[in-house]
Amino acid sequence: MQNGPVTNELLPVSAAIEGGVLSVGGAPLPRLAEEHGTPLVVYCERTIREAARAYREAAPDALLVYGTKAFPNVAILRLLAEEGFGADVSSGGELELARRAGIPGERIVVHGNNKGDDELAAAARLGALVAVDALDEIERAVAAGVRRALVRVTPGIEADTHEAIRTAHHGSKFGLPPHDAIAAIGALRDAGVDVEGVHVHIGSQLLHLRAAGMTVEWLALFSARCRAELDWTPRTIDLGGGLGVAHVPDEAPPSIAEFVAAVSGELARAWALERLEPPRLVLEPGRSLVGRAGVTVYRVGSIKRASEATTYVAVDGGLSDNPRPALYGARYAALLANRADEEPGEAYAVAGRHCESGDLLIERVPLPEPRRGDLLAIPATGAYTLAMGSNYNAVPRPAAVLVADGAARTIRRRETMDDLLALEQG
Ligand code: LLP
């Protein structure tokens, strides 16, 4: 039994509650909080490896690359490289992290709707695959020495997710409409670039299979059009990332196996229908690899009854380590990591520490009456949390640890006051 509306599906696979104490990877969270301070993002190694293996099992021949932006971290990139993953990067910084993790260029895909010449040159030096995203990128990519490319196309499909993380609709800032994508493929080939295929990423936090299936079907028709107009067909189909994770009990995403079976089944069917050569599949999962693996542990501070309807439980982080509730209205669940077996009482609002009324991590969550000093754990915070963190209010960003077999390893150290001051001049 555990409090808050937290079900096992929201927690890392190694999570356990004993004597009211929540542990991850055999490490009790109160011990980790003591040793590493709070807020602390605790990643379960087993959850990440199991997710990676689920992708590999479902798509044994695919090139699997980690959507680095979900949590750009060298240790995680290395761990995933051990599982056979490469990296999808969207900036020179992410490319550098992948390089430091020892990922070879042939397993790196470089994205971005506005890549710099320096970023294109770095991609070219590593021999990475560049997803060309604009017509005016072609000349710059060629000049930078890019030899291998995909062309990113926008199929005009509206994925059923938050509009800020939808990317393949008509009018998207990403990719090229079909006509321009065909022109780009032709121009790149004329310039001697090996265009290996096409890329589509329809959106993130997808909880249904329909849009992904429709996209694959659309791509088969697009590939047939390429054959007719260019006498060229894609050898590679990169479907991006997108599979969602559950942050609250009423979100029920398909499993990795279901998601991959749906897209690869549709790929086989639609390709056969158009009499196209079966392509190599590339998948770029981010959130579905690391989202469930991460639990953020906060220390409870002030508790305030603000009105008849609302009692705030304030924690020592917030917007600076997880801006998703403020940005997307993202919902989370929570439990008290040190009193995890107590019955929840009334519902509380979990407020962050920042000077911003919108700094509310959870609007309402039932908890046992919280006390100052309790540890509040928010599950499913491994993706797009620290990755999008900030130093708002000059608050240092938290540390992240990776746990397995009862041992925790710091994979990102906590920022210090000196880190904050390091950029100041005068
Ligand atoms: N590939 C491309 C080209 C992408 O743009 C993305 C995510 C991925 C792969 C990985 O997608 P995933 O498997 O993680 O859904 N900050 C937002 C999510 C932004 C996603 C951006 N692109 C959030 O917190 O929900």
Side-chain angles (χ1 to χ4, degrees):
M1 199 248 305
Q2 53 215 24
N3 58 54
V6 173
T7 51
N8 285 345
E9 291 69 41
L10 303 187
L11 288 163
V13 294
S14 66
I17 293 171
E18 233 174 278
V21 168
L22 174 64
S23 67
V24 172
L29 297 188
R31 191 193 91 203
L32 294 180
E34 213 50 60
E35 288 172 4
H36 298 270
T38 54
L40 181 69
V41 188
V42 178
Y43 280 92
C44 165
E45 180 171 334
R46 184 144 71 82
T47 305
I48 300 176
R49 287 197 192 273
E50 282 187 11
R53 286 171 197 172
Y55 270 103
R56 177 54 69 208
E57 223 164 87
D61 302 323
L63 172 65
L64 298 171
V65 293
Y66 166 49
T68 305
K69 59 182 82 74
F71 179 45
N73 179 269
V74 173
I76 299 287
L77 282 158
R78 285 215 174 102
L79 187 159
L80 286 167
E82 285 172 16
E83 299 294 337
F85 274 65
D88 135 28
V89 301
S90 60
S91 69
E94 289 180 357
L95 182 64
E96 186 58 19
L97 292 183
R99 200 184 66 77
R100 293 277 176 94
I103 296 176
E106 63 266 23
R107 277 196 261 137
I108 297 178
V109 185
V110 179
H111 289 288
N113 67 312
N114 184 22
K115 303 176 192 75
D117 290 341
D118 53 339
E119 292 173 321
L120 289 167
R125 274 197 302 279
L126 282 176
L129 189 56
V130 173
V132 170
D133 198 286
L135 289 175
D136 63 11
E137 190 180 318
I138 296 170
E139 203 180 319
R140 296 190 305 111
V142 172
V146 170
R147 286 280 151 270
R148 304 171 54 223
L150 300 175
V151 168
R152 180 164 181 168
V153 60
T154 38
I157 289 172
E158 308 255 341
D160 183 15
T161 188
H162 191 282
E163 64 181 33
I165 53 177
R166 208 180 265 166
T167 45
H169 51 285
H170 179 63
S172 169
K173 79 163 181 170
F174 296 103
L176 290 162
H179 181 79
D180 286 349
I182 287 180
I185 294 165
L188 283 159
R189 294 182 72 222
D190 288 348
V193 176
D194 179 11
V195 184
E196 295 187 10
V198 292
H199 166 86
V200 179
H201 169 80
I202 55 171
S204 200
Q205 184 55 14
L206 305 177
L207 297 176
H208 309 283
L209 299 170
R210 200 167 36 101
M214 274 167 60
T215 304
V216 173
E217 191 174 18
W218 184 92
L219 279 169
L221 296 173
F222 178 75
S223 300
R225 182 172 162 195
C226 288
R227 178 176 53 197
E229 291 187 28
L230 295 168
D231 193 23
W232 172 91
T233 51
R235 310 198 300 277
T236 294
I237 291 292
D238 182 341
L239 294 176
L243 176 60
V245 303
H247 304 94
V248 285
D250 61 53
E251 286 175 334
S255 68
I256 290 170
E258 286 165 344
F259 180 77
V260 177
V263 294
S264 53
E266 185 58 22
L267 196 72
R269 190 196 67 80
W271 252 249
L273 209 62
E274 297 301 326
R275 297 184 198 291
L276 292 157
E277 280 290 306
R280 177 181 68 153
L281 179 62
V282 181
L283 295 174
E284 305 178 335
R287 189 185 331 251
S288 51
L289 288 175
V290 296
R292 181 181 174 187
V295 175
T296 309
V297 186
Y298 301 95
R299 183 76 67 182
V300 170
S302 77
I303 295 153
K304 185 185 293 177
R305 186 149 186 93
S307 72
E308 302 66 40
T310 309
T311 303
Y312 288 106
V313 180
V315 295
D316 54 357
L319 188 44
S320 56
D321 57 77
N322 184 2
R324 300 192 69 257
L327 274 176
Y328 316 118
R331 294 177 302 141
Y332 288 94
L335 72 168
L336 295 183
N338 56 319
R339 299 198 276 133
D341 55 355
E342 289 181 27
E343 283 292 343
E346 65 174 287
Y348 295 84
V350 178
R353 56 160 302 158
H354 294 277
C355 296
E356 186 97 13
S357 292
D359 179 28
L360 203 58
L361 287 168
I362 306 178
E363 249 173 57
R364 273 178 81 75
V365 61
L367 293 169
E369 190 179 349
R371 303 177 203 127
R372 171 176 288 274
D374 276 338
L375 292 171
L376 183 115
I378 302 194
T381 46
Y384 303 109
T385 50
L386 268 191
M388 295 199 298
S390 72
N391 289 125
Y392 183 44
N393 296 136
V395 170
R397 280 171 296 186
V401 293
L402 185 65
V403 290
D405 304 322
R409 173 159 71 96
T410 303
I411 54 170
R412 183 187 163 121
R413 73 157 169 79
R414 183 174 304 284
E415 279 178 344
T416 62
M417 287 300 164
D418 284 342
D419 291 326
L420 291 181
L421 288 166
L423 304 180
E424 296 302 311
Q425 305 285 306

